[in-house]
Amino acid sequence: MSPLAHPFDAVIFDMDGTLLDTEAVFKAIVYEVCTEMGFAMTDGVHGRMVGSSHEATAQLLIESFGSHFPYTLFDEKCRTIMKSRLSEVPVKAGARELVTALRELGVPLAVATSSRANHAMGHLEAAGVIGFFDTIVTRDDVINPKPHPEPYLTAARRLKVDPVHCVAFEDSISGVRAAHAAGMRTVMVPDLVQPSDEIAALCVAVLESMAHAHEHLVTAPRSANGLQEHLQVKSRG
């Protein structure tokens, strides 16, 4: 039986690419802006950007394109275009149903994202899912962003649950590393980046979509620390 089939106390979600279907849109914008600025973005460089903090992304782009790369201008252009193209923020397939089922069962929920607070809150509100979560941890709330475990540890602390009794959903390599380092049962739902064998080994399940996670939700007995409801999640097969 999968380790995910045990009762758990809370579920913590990454945002972009996991809850929200924003990464493909952002990828197109990144290529567009880089071309406009005279730089040749590649899939290899972009793949390393997925799930990274602004600091890590800035360092990556400067290492890739040289110290003359105008990251501040790049970031401003990407944000402006993203805002104009995502007046309605799409939700990943199955995500709304999953968080709805968890909320109805009384399971504490959180978001742990590398995005800044204004971006995260705006997108979650535009997507119509912000009200599902008991707490939202953004880049502004931590000293160390993913792949450091601090975002996930902060979310668990706010929910007043032990990290080892949490399930974390992620789509990126840095996110998987962060959730695993926090001691959480980590589920990867790949979006633009597929896991290597090393990354897959850090996960208790790698699922095709959030809909697959929802398909395997069933109620479980009360745990020793007193939650009224729990869920069991079984990985496919």
Side-chain angles (χ1 to χ4, degrees), residues 111-171:
V111 170
T113 176
S114 293
S115 295
R116 295 289 184 183
N118 60 347
H119 169 86
M121 300 302 185
H123 276 200
L124 289 168
E125 185 172 3
V129 297
I130 194 168
F132 286 103
F133 301 101
D134 299 287
T135 190
I136 297 167
V137 178
T138 73
R139 178 64 187 88
D140 298 317
D141 298 313
V142 298
I143 296 173
N144 303 294
K146 302 173 187 177
H148 194 279
E150 186 181 354
Y152 279 101
L153 294 174
T154 300
R157 185 176 68 253
R158 290 182 179 180
L159 294 176
K160 297 181 172 59
V161 297
D162 190 324
V164 300
H165 295 147
C166 296
V167 173
F169 282 91
E170 270 287 353
D171 74 296

